[in-house]
Amino acid sequence: MAKRPQFGERFLMDDSEVFKHNAWDQVDWDEEQETAAKNMVAKNSDCPPEDVYLDLFHNSAEKWDKFYNIHTNKFFKDRHWLFTEFPELKENSSHEEEVKIFEVGCGVGNTIFPIMEHSDEDAKIFLYGCDFSETAVDIVKSHKLYNKNKCLAFVCDISEKILQIPISEGSLDIITMIFVLSALNPENMGHCIKNLAKYLKPGGYFLFRDYGRYDLAQLRFKNGRCLADNFYARGDGTKVYFFTQEEMDKLFTEAGLVKVQNTVDKRLQVNRARQLKMYRVWIQCKYMKPHSS
């Protein structure tokens, strides 16, 4: 089977064929559609009452612990698609020196374990993973592939201004942050990225993917769930922010990293039975720590 190219290759050339497949890649929005999305966001931007607001805005670890206590390892799927979007993760299996990869916001190991599965048994790779949730980290440690000689999972609040983790600064080849930064309060995002960047070695990569502005998930929020501009609380109390390319470029460059890739991945997902169109928007970035740092 041919390898799927990055961002896919199924393009909608004829609108009359939209319900022919379940999904279409890199679908451009016209001005009317973008205006409609902005109007929907404006309508769902009312904040909840103050007592509800304060509870939702804080206690992130507690909310994620509850999430993983309910869903354990059955909610998120393993991210085997990462090797297409970020081939650096697979290429590292052939290095002579040990390659160190840090999955920030590891959840139940949906990035850690696919990397282990795709690596040769004797590959010189060591994987770190951290998460807000102690429950999630316990699930990682109980996985059949978890090996203390190959990986280390630990609890960590990456939103703290001073980051204390069992990793040496300047030692990491790759940091992955996949649908994680969006869970932080926006005021903590800048120092979070700066703190993490310190642990990359010169030439190391920061690989990022998260929700983009006007994604379907943002447009579906009901009024009273908005905590700040483009920042919402889900029904279970976990939070999500919706990014632009410009915001991500600012966060990474202010942390001293250099852009390799910063793109919007737009997909049109289709429910053919119900004749529904669902527009997804994700931001995907790859930034490098320069050798001169």
Side-chain angles (χ1 to χ4, degrees), residues 76-231:
F76 298 113
K77 295 180 180 179
D78 282 349
R79 295 164 174 155
H80 295 281
W81 52 265
L82 282 175
F83 303 104
T84 297
E85 304 299 341
F86 299 116
E88 295 82 4
L89 292 171
K90 192 168 179 63
E91 292 167 1
N92 280 293
S93 62
S94 61
H95 283 222
E96 292 184 6
E97 296 183 4
E98 185 177 60
V99 172
K100 295 182 178 180
I101 301 173
F102 182 21
E103 182 186 7
V104 178
C106 64
V108 295
N110 299 112
T111 296
I112 287 177
F113 296 122
I115 292 175
M116 293 183 72
E117 289 173 355
H118 282 77
S119 301
D120 296 333
E121 191 173 340
D122 58 351
K124 295 180 179 178
I125 293 180
F126 194 90
L127 297 156
Y128 298 94
C130 77
D131 202 89
F132 271 143
S133 168
E134 185 174 354
T135 301
V137 171
D138 287 342
I139 292 171
V140 171
K141 290 181 176 180
S142 68
H143 195 285
K144 63 182 180 181
L145 290 178
Y146 187 78
N147 179 345
K148 292 181 180 179
N149 295 319
K150 287 284 188 180
C151 54
L152 174 64
F154 54 93
V155 177
C156 176
D157 183 353
I158 57 170
S159 68
E160 295 287 344
K161 290 191 175 180
I162 298 176
L163 190 63
Q164 295 181 323
I165 57 177
I167 302 173
S168 299
E169 290 190 10
S171 67
L172 295 172
D173 295 275
I174 293 176
I175 293 173
T176 67
M177 200 177 207
I178 312 298
F179 297 102
V180 171
L181 190 66
S182 56
L184 270 60
N185 296 343
E187 63 189 29
N188 295 325
M189 292 176 182
H191 64 253
C192 172
I193 298 295
K194 288 178 182 177
N195 284 337
L196 291 169
K198 296 175 185 177
Y199 292 88
L200 278 175
K201 62 173 60 173
Y205 288 106
F206 202 126
L207 309 180
F208 174 91
R209 187 174 174 90
D210 218 318
Y211 296 102
R213 189 69 47 83
Y214 308 132
D215 176 61
L216 173 69
Q218 182 177 17
L219 304 186
R220 280 182 167 175
F221 272 103
K222 304 297 183 184
N223 230 338
R225 305 303 298 181
C226 186
L227 303 177
D229 287 347
N230 305 297
F231 186 50

Side-chain angles (χ1 to χ4, degrees), residues 259-274:
K259 182 174 70 174
V260 178
Q261 179 192 67
N262 182 327
T263 190
V264 179
D265 184 5
K266 292 184 176 180
R267 308 277 175 97
L268 170 57
Q269 296 176 346
V270 173
N271 183 321
R272 288 189 279 176
R274 298 175 61 192

